[in-house]
Amino acid sequence: MAEAEDRTEVPTTADEPGAPGRRRVVPIVFGVVVALVVVGVVLWLTLRPGLPSSQTTSDPSSAPSFSSTALPTAEPGSTLPPAGSEAGAIGFDDSAAVGDAVSVRIDSLEAVDGEASQPGEVAGPSIRVTIAFTNSGSEAYSLAGAVANAYYGADLTPAIELAAPGGVAFPEQVAAGETVRGTFVFNIPEDARDTVRVTVDYAAAEPAVLFEGAAPR
């Protein structure tokens, strides 16, 4: 008789790869590891030492202070010194240096009947002021930005400028050794001419020249 074949089956154990028990264990272990990592991060964020004192927000009171000189304030509605004061103003008979060799002065001041020849002008009693620039130097001096304005009364009310009679703007420059003039007409009531201020702005970066006094009626 032929020998009988050995058909004994070897039982499968849970330790072999692919066994159901092994497949259940792997996800559990992975979950535990993730949980531990999360807990560790939270603890680190909670318990980590604070920032160095040099990086913390500084107390405003400990910031260095800097001293500064207070700028003078102007009267409400005006950038000029108060009327009747001596703060920067000179008389109508005086002259002022505006450069190394250039000076400005009031050449003439007279009462006229102002004429309304352009929109916005108001005819009436006015003054006409002629302002002269003299250049005693060797080079021309620019007057491209030179303008004149007038104010009257204790409140320095701005006077309305008129073109007539006889208004003439400053020329573009004053040549070396020459004198040039501009003539301006301002509507100012006769009873408000005890204090009249005429300002001459000759350069954007320089303060205006201030002439002040009583104007003719």
Side-chain angles (χ1 to χ4, degrees), residues 177-211:
E178 298 293 333
T179 296
V180 297
R181 294 170 176 83
T183 300
F184 305 87
V185 179
F186 299 104
N187 186 322
I188 298 178
E190 291 182 347
D191 60 358
R193 298 183 188 177
D194 289 341
T195 301
V196 173
R197 176 167 294 176
V198 176
T199 67
V200 181
D201 289 279
Y202 59 94
E206 300 295 336
V209 178
L210 279 61
F211 297 94

Side-chain angles (χ1 to χ4, degrees), residues 69-75 78-82 87:
T69 302
L71 296 177
T73 58
E75 291 292 310
S78 171
T79 58
L80 303 174

Side-chain angles (χ1 to χ4, degrees), residues 50-111:
L51 294 174
S53 58
S54 61
Q55 298 180 6
T56 58
T57 303
S58 60
D59 184 354
S61 62
S62 64
S65 59
F66 300 91
S67 60
S68 60
T69 302
L71 296 177
T73 58
E75 291 292 310
S78 171
T79 58
L80 303 174
S85 74
E86 299 297 327
I90 60 177
F92 287 141
D93 295 330
D94 298 326
S95 63
V98 297
D100 292 338
V102 180
S103 62
V104 61
R105 71 180 188 276
I106 300 293
D107 202 44
S108 66
L109 184 63
E110 56 188 324

Side-chain angles (χ1 to χ4, degrees), residues 103-142:
S103 62
V104 61
R105 71 180 188 276
I106 300 293
D107 202 44
S108 66
L109 184 63
E110 56 188 324
V112 298
D113 291 326
E115 303 171 4
S117 60
Q118 298 181 9
E121 296 185 344
V122 179
S126 303
I127 64 169
R128 183 168 58 197
V129 54
T130 299
I131 302 168
F133 280 91
T134 298
N135 183 359
S136 58
S138 58
E139 297 181 357
Y141 185 84
S142 175

